[in-house]
Amino acid sequence: MTDQVIIFDTTLRDGEQSPGASMNTAEKLRLARQLERLGVDVMEAGFPAASNGDFEAVKLISETVRNVQVAALARTSKGDIDRAWEAIKNAAHHRIHTFIATSDIHLKHKLRMTREQVIETASEAVRYAKSFTENVEFSAEDGSRSDWDFLCQVYGAAIKQGATTLNLPDTVGYALPDEFGQLIRYLREHTPGIEKVIISTHCHNDLGLATANTLAGLKAGARQAEVTINGIGERAGNTSLEEVVMSLYTRRDLMGLTTKIRTEEIYPSSRLVSMVTGIVVQPNKAIVGANAFAHEAGIHQDGVLKNRMTYEIMEPKTVGLDTNRLVLGKHSGRHAFRAKLTELGYDMTQEEIDRLFEKFKELADKRKELADEDIEALVAEQILRVHDVYELGYLNVVSGTVTVPTATVRLKIKGKEVQKAGFGIGPIDATYNTIAKMTGSKSKLLRFTVSAITGGMDAQGEVSVRLIEDGLVALGKGTDTDIITASAKAFINGLNRLEYLKTNPTLISDDRRL
Ligand code: KIV
Ligand code: ZN
């Protein structure tokens, strides 16, 4: 058996099913390019039958990405499989991923099917998918809660029809590591023909065991791990790519398994996912959290200064967090700025670079040094920039313990200057109330998050908002050294995106899925 693990990334499909994580087509394409750079073997680009937006995004990714297999998810119906194939047929390497539930709970209450009907349906789906491509993956949804012998029968039937990968999902994150490993061993011993196919794990994190279960599965003989960046996904999320890859890398002495992941691309990938989804990474998150390599306690700092290995099991630079990296400042020129963008993996037009460079100079005048995260935040504003109906001209906020928070805002609305003042229960509320009045927006705030991009007193604040209006959902981002200004920018960016969504059908269907 090979000791190489196939990394199947499903950030664009299962990850996108996280509450509030929907991405538009341009964002998905940007992420797909980063996944290619990261070196995943397979990317599940979406579920084409779910919406037109999903279909278009999978198709575009299939036509763009050349070095990675592109998978599309489909239920067992012919309609779903047709749609999946239509979306991926131009990919350099394609895969159809079809699934049906196998647990008695799902059979009885959801599918209302007998076990025999499930075997027949799964066989038929794999046979049909095989008529389009050699590369067919079959998943037994809720597999970990299914009867083990029945699972062997369903997988056996899928193998007979030519499935090349068999995936075992722990759909509701119920399994324990020993049990999950044992189930994989049982499948290997009792499923006819299983030695011809790759066994895959797909774990959810409801009990916080997704990574442990995945590693147990790999130890037991699985050779594909389905994962997402930052572990985003339905409910408590999926197994996180960075945790599995770095566990295999750091404990290769015990696991004896490798991946093709370029580990230095882990941190940039994590930042990008967080930026496009607006889902902030918790500071204590393993591998990519802001504190993952921070040593606070005196005794730890002393040890690390003497020898990093006393308290560090991985080097930050291995995951792309280079503590010695070059920082840009106000004396950096256009050339250095462009080189930095290339180093961070951004492929931009000259016009985009010029626009960004102006913003960079404004920011560099306020701060001595700009870290990569600051540059990425500028790029994020750029990615999320659509044709602006509303532009922030001026903002003045008065707040404190003895005044009613008041905001005076000047906006350019379709090129015309308008000014108004308003109140609120806090400075941000006053700003948002005033902007809402000026723009006539009926949008509601679904989420508001604020975080510091880098450490230090002069750190930039990064605000991300999610707005909903008439069923349309838009993400807005804003960064500034002043968090109230960053909040205003994020709100205005979100309002501009809502305006854009109203006139762009692809984005509408995409964001409607929330
Ligand atoms: O969690 C799950 O069961 C899934 C399948 C569709 C693979 O995401
Ligand atoms: Zn899943």
Side-chain angles (χ1 to χ4, degrees), residues 10 13-14 17 169-171 202-204 226 234 238:
T10 182
R13 199 278 298 171
D14 223 351
Q17 286 173 219
D170 181 25
T171 305
H202 177 111
C203 300
H204 281 264
E226 300 201 353
E234 197 88 79
N238 288 57

Short mmCIF file of all heavy atoms in Angstrom, two decimals, residues 10 13-14 17 169-171 202-204 226 234 238, ligand 2:
data_model
loop_
_atom_site.label_atom_id
_atom_site.label_comp_id
_atom_site.label_asym_id
_atom_site.label_seq_id
_atom_site.Cartn_x
_atom_site.Cartn_y
_atom_site.Cartn_z
N THR A 10 -12.45 20.10 0.37
CA THR A 10 -13.86 20.40 0.08
C THR A 10 -14.28 21.75 0.66
O THR A 10 -15.44 21.99 0.96
CB THR A 10 -14.79 19.22 0.49
OG1 THR A 10 -16.13 19.55 0.15
CG2 THR A 10 -14.70 18.89 1.97
N ARG A 13 -17.01 23.29 -1.29
CA ARG A 13 -18.33 22.62 -1.27
C ARG A 13 -18.83 22.46 0.17
O ARG A 13 -19.69 23.20 0.61
CB ARG A 13 -18.22 21.26 -1.99
CG ARG A 13 -19.54 20.69 -2.43
CD ARG A 13 -20.30 19.96 -1.36
NE ARG A 13 -19.60 18.80 -0.85
CZ ARG A 13 -20.02 18.11 0.23
NH1 ARG A 13 -21.10 18.49 0.88
NH2 ARG A 13 -19.34 17.07 0.66
N ASP A 14 -18.26 21.55 0.95
CA ASP A 14 -18.76 21.37 2.33
C ASP A 14 -18.42 22.61 3.17
O ASP A 14 -19.20 23.03 4.02
CB ASP A 14 -18.15 20.12 2.96
CG ASP A 14 -19.18 19.30 3.72
OD1 ASP A 14 -20.29 19.81 3.89
OD2 ASP A 14 -18.88 18.17 4.16
N GLN A 17 -20.79 25.32 2.91
CA GLN A 17 -22.07 25.11 3.58
C GLN A 17 -22.06 25.61 5.03
O GLN A 17 -23.06 25.52 5.72
CB GLN A 17 -22.43 23.61 3.55
CG GLN A 17 -22.90 23.16 2.18
CD GLN A 17 -23.10 21.65 2.07
OE1 GLN A 17 -22.77 21.05 1.05
NE2 GLN A 17 -23.61 21.03 3.10
N PRO A 169 -18.13 8.81 5.30
CA PRO A 169 -18.38 10.04 6.05
C PRO A 169 -18.85 9.76 7.47
O PRO A 169 -19.66 8.88 7.72
CB PRO A 169 -19.51 10.73 5.26
CG PRO A 169 -19.61 9.99 3.97
CD PRO A 169 -19.15 8.59 4.26
N ASP A 170 -18.30 10.55 8.40
CA ASP A 170 -18.86 10.61 9.75
C ASP A 170 -19.68 11.90 9.73
O ASP A 170 -19.28 12.93 10.27
CB ASP A 170 -17.72 10.66 10.78
CG ASP A 170 -18.25 10.70 12.21
OD1 ASP A 170 -19.38 10.21 12.43
OD2 ASP A 170 -17.55 11.22 13.09
N THR A 171 -20.82 11.82 9.06
CA THR A 171 -21.60 13.00 8.69
C THR A 171 -21.99 13.87 9.89
O THR A 171 -22.02 15.09 9.78
CB THR A 171 -22.87 12.53 7.94
OG1 THR A 171 -22.44 11.73 6.85
CG2 THR A 171 -23.72 13.67 7.45
N HIS A 202 -14.10 11.20 5.74
CA HIS A 202 -14.77 12.51 5.64
C HIS A 202 -15.41 12.75 7.01
O HIS A 202 -16.49 12.23 7.29
CB HIS A 202 -15.82 12.46 4.52
CG HIS A 202 -16.59 13.74 4.38
ND1 HIS A 202 -16.45 14.58 3.30
CD2 HIS A 202 -17.53 14.31 5.17
CE1 HIS A 202 -17.26 15.60 3.43
NE2 HIS A 202 -17.94 15.47 4.57
N CYS A 203 -14.72 13.49 7.87
CA CYS A 203 -15.20 13.60 9.26
C CYS A 203 -15.67 15.01 9.58
O CYS A 203 -15.08 15.99 9.15
CB CYS A 203 -14.07 13.21 10.20
SG CYS A 203 -13.53 11.50 9.92
N HIS A 204 -16.75 15.05 10.36
CA HIS A 204 -17.24 16.33 10.88
C HIS A 204 -16.84 16.45 12.35
O HIS A 204 -16.54 15.47 13.02
CB HIS A 204 -18.75 16.46 10.64
CG HIS A 204 -19.05 16.84 9.22
ND1 HIS A 204 -19.26 18.13 8.84
CD2 HIS A 204 -19.12 16.10 8.08
CE1 HIS A 204 -19.47 18.19 7.53
NE2 HIS A 204 -19.39 16.95 7.04
N GLU A 226 -10.62 13.80 3.42
CA GLU A 226 -11.42 14.94 2.95
C GLU A 226 -11.40 16.01 4.04
O GLU A 226 -11.73 15.74 5.20
CB GLU A 226 -12.84 14.48 2.61
CG GLU A 226 -12.79 13.43 1.52
CD GLU A 226 -14.08 13.22 0.73
OE1 GLU A 226 -15.11 13.81 1.09
OE2 GLU A 226 -14.03 12.47 -0.25
N GLU A 234 -20.26 22.66 7.60
CA GLU A 234 -21.56 22.49 8.26
C GLU A 234 -21.39 22.38 9.79
O GLU A 234 -20.51 21.66 10.27
CB GLU A 234 -22.11 21.16 7.71
CG GLU A 234 -23.57 20.91 7.89
CD GLU A 234 -24.40 21.49 6.74
OE1 GLU A 234 -24.47 20.88 5.68
OE2 GLU A 234 -24.99 22.55 6.96
N ASN A 238 -15.66 20.73 9.31
CA ASN A 238 -15.05 19.50 8.80
C ASN A 238 -13.65 19.34 9.40
O ASN A 238 -13.14 20.24 10.03
CB ASN A 238 -14.91 19.59 7.28
CG ASN A 238 -16.23 19.49 6.55
OD1 ASN A 238 -17.15 20.26 6.78
ND2 ASN A 238 -16.34 18.52 5.67
ZN ZN B 2 -19.72 16.58 4.96
#
